[in-house]
Amino acid sequence: KQEVTQIPAALSVPEGENLVLNCSFTDSAIYNLQWFRQDPGKGLTSLLLIQSSQREQTSGRLNASLDKSSGRSTLYIAASQPGDSATYLCAVSAGANSKLTFGKGITLSVRP
Amino acid sequence: NAGVTQTPKFQVLKTGQSMTLQCAQDMNHEYMSWYRQDPGMGLRLIHYSVGAGITDQGEVPNGYNVSRSTTEDFPLRLLSAAPSQTSVYFCASSYSLPGHNSPLHFGNGTRLTVT
């Protein structure tokens, strides 16, 4: 059974810092990996999707990498801002009907 | 563009009552799904649909029913509410199966409390 782990559960950094959020998964037979952002009381918003054949994807200040063989992905946030404060979740798509398995998320707080 | 719309936003039920959570999308997405989000448990898949007339069970389907009579709508029915079904419920959709590299779009959720 696929398991997705995100450690630590919470992170607090000062504004302007570059930071890396980690995601690990147990079964490397995935179709893709997605990173989501969730603001309090809201649904999830897709940030980046990395196909299994890709190594990374970039969108603005965000860069996500994928190392399928080692079961790891990282989300790099450059020059963090208070508006980046949210919970970040990763999810992998695998198996029958390519169902998504989610990590529990990392709650990020960026201090002004 | 409304995206994925869920109603109601909040609901309180008594044990044994039934209700339907509504979900509609206007993006002509084939894939729709229901998740529940609980503290410490993360998001868990309840039911999903790969197209009109086709539904299947996810990880935690017991106590819930779904149907997909149109592409746009995917209601979730609680048959006889139990306190263990207290949770935040999210509907999500994508153009095709998640494995076909279609990003998932989420609604804003329904917060359900069963007393």
Side-chain angles (χ1 to χ4, degrees):
Chain A
K1 179 186 172 186
Q2 178 77 262
E3 291 183 6
V4 179
T5 303
Q6 294 184 256
I7 296 173
L11 187 62
S12 180
V13 301
E15 182 176 4
E17 190 163 299
N18 301 324
L19 59 101
V20 173
L21 306 181
N22 294 307
C23 171
S24 62
F25 48 95
T26 54
D27 187 346
S28 62
I30 64 170
Y31 297 112
N32 58 55
L33 183 145
Q34 295 188 50
W35 280 95
F36 295 87
R37 168 183 172 140
Q38 185 176 27
D39 293 293
K42 299 291 187 183
L44 283 69
T45 300
S46 180
L47 297 172
L48 290 164
L49 183 152
I50 311 176
Q51 299 176 34
S52 62
S53 59
Q54 296 176 324
R55 297 285 292 187
E56 64 179 87
Q57 281 285 342
T58 298
S59 176
R61 294 183 295 109
L62 305 180
N63 176 278
S65 68
L66 174 65
D67 184 342
K68 207 171 65 159
S69 60
S70 68
R72 292 182 181 179
S73 175
T74 61
L75 179 67
Y76 174 83
I77 302 177
S80 58
Q81 303 169 359
D84 294 329
S85 298
T87 298
Y88 291 83
L89 299 94
C90 66
V92 296
S93 171
N97 283 326
S98 58
K99 292 189 283 290
L100 285 171
T101 302
F102 284 83
K104 294 178 182 176
I106 298 173
T107 298
L108 172 67
S109 174
V110 181
R111 307 186 301 272
Chain B
N1 194 345
V4 180
T5 302
Q6 291 184 239
T7 56
K9 287 187 170 55
F10 302 94
Q11 183 70 50
V12 179
L13 290 178
K14 293 188 189 307
T15 297
Q17 287 184 316
S18 62
M19 78 159 295
T20 299
L21 308 185
Q22 301 291 344
C23 174
Q25 53 87 12
D26 61 358
M27 298 173 282
N28 201 31
H29 285 173
E30 289 296 321
Y31 182 87
M32 296 187 73
S33 53
W34 278 101
Y35 291 87
R36 58 179 290 174
Q37 185 175 40
D38 301 291
M41 300 292 293
L43 279 147
R44 292 180 292 170
L45 181 65
I46 305 171
H47 284 285
Y48 65 98
S49 168
V50 299
I54 306 169
T55 63
D56 206 347
Q57 296 180 350
E59 184 184 353
V60 288
N62 292 341
Y64 308 95
N65 271 355
V66 292
S67 60
R68 185 92 180 271
S69 56
T70 67
T71 299
E72 295 77 19
D73 300 299
F74 191 44
L76 178 72
R77 281 182 287 278
L78 279 70
L79 309 173
S80 176
S84 60
Q85 294 179 305
T86 293
S87 185
V88 181
Y89 291 85
F90 288 102
C91 179
S93 72
S94 58
Y95 181 72
S96 62
L97 285 173
H100 292 175
N101 302 316
S102 296
L104 207 55
H105 297 254
F106 280 79
N108 280 331
T110 295
R111 294 181 179 273
L112 175 68
T113 302
V114 183
T115 61

